[in-house]
Amino acid sequence: CLGVSAMVYLIDEPSAGLDCEQRINAAKVMKRWVVHHLGRTLLLVEHDFVMTAAMADRVIVFEGTPGVTCTARAPVGVAEGFNLFLRTLGITFRRDPTNFRPRINKLGSRIDKEQKASGEYYVLDAEQDEE
C-alpha cells in the first residue's frame, strides 16, 4: 500500500488487468510518488516490458529453470538487463518510432538479424524502421 510509510515498497504485477495507456500512467504515478516525492526505493515484480521500461532505473534478471533453480543477477541498467533477458529468448525488441513503446521484431527480419549480430537485443533508438 503506497499510503503507508516504508523505506522500500514491493509492488507485484501492478499492470495486471490494465490496458497499455493505463500501465504507462500507473508506472509514472508510482515512480513519481515513491521515488521522486518520498525518496524511497520501489522494487517492482513485473513481466510487462511497457510497464518496466516506463518505470525502471535498473533491473534484476533471474536465470534458471522455472520451478527448479533460480539465480538473480546483480542489478544493471534497463537496456543491459533487457539485452541479457532477450538474448536468452532469442528475441529482439526495438522502440516504435511513433509511440516509443517496445515492439518485438519479426524473427529473421533485417532488423532482427542486425540487432542479434551486434548483440543489441533491445534497442532504445526509435529511428530504425521495420521491414
Side-chain angles (χ1 to χ4, degrees), residues 6-67:
M7 295 301 292
V8 176
Y9 292 87
L10 172 60
I11 301 179
D12 186 21
E13 297 282 347
S15 68
L18 301 178
D19 68 29
C20 193
E21 293 303 319
Q22 290 172 328
R23 283 182 255 162
I24 293 168
N25 289 334
K28 288 177 181 177
V29 167
M30 284 186 284
K31 186 172 185 174
R32 188 174 339 139
W33 179 255
V34 174
V35 177
H36 300 295
H37 179 73
L38 298 175
R40 304 298 186 196
T41 298
L42 178 69
L43 182 59
L44 176 72
V45 177
E46 185 59 70
H47 297 93
D48 182 273
F49 265 78
V50 172
M51 178 70 122
T52 305
M55 203 161 175
D57 295 318
R58 295 185 297 163
V59 297
I60 298 172
V61 177
F62 290 87
E63 298 175 321
T65 305

Side-chain angles (χ1 to χ4, degrees), residues 44-111:
L44 176 72
V45 177
E46 185 59 70
H47 297 93
D48 182 273
F49 265 78
V50 172
M51 178 70 122
T52 305
M55 203 161 175
D57 295 318
R58 295 185 297 163
V59 297
I60 298 172
V61 177
F62 290 87
E63 298 175 321
T65 305
V68 179
T69 104
C70 180
T71 303
R73 297 180 65 109
V76 294
V78 175
E80 182 180 350
F82 282 10
N83 277 310
L84 287 168
F85 176 69
L86 292 171
R87 184 176 292 115
T88 65
L89 300 177
I91 296 172
T92 58
F93 271 37
R94 71 189 185 292
R95 286 261 178 135
D96 185 278
T98 305
N99 58 28
F100 304 104
R101 294 183 188 140
R103 297 284 185 231
I104 298 174
N105 294 320
K106 295 176 191 169
L107 188 61
S109 70
R110 177 183 52 82
I111 292 177

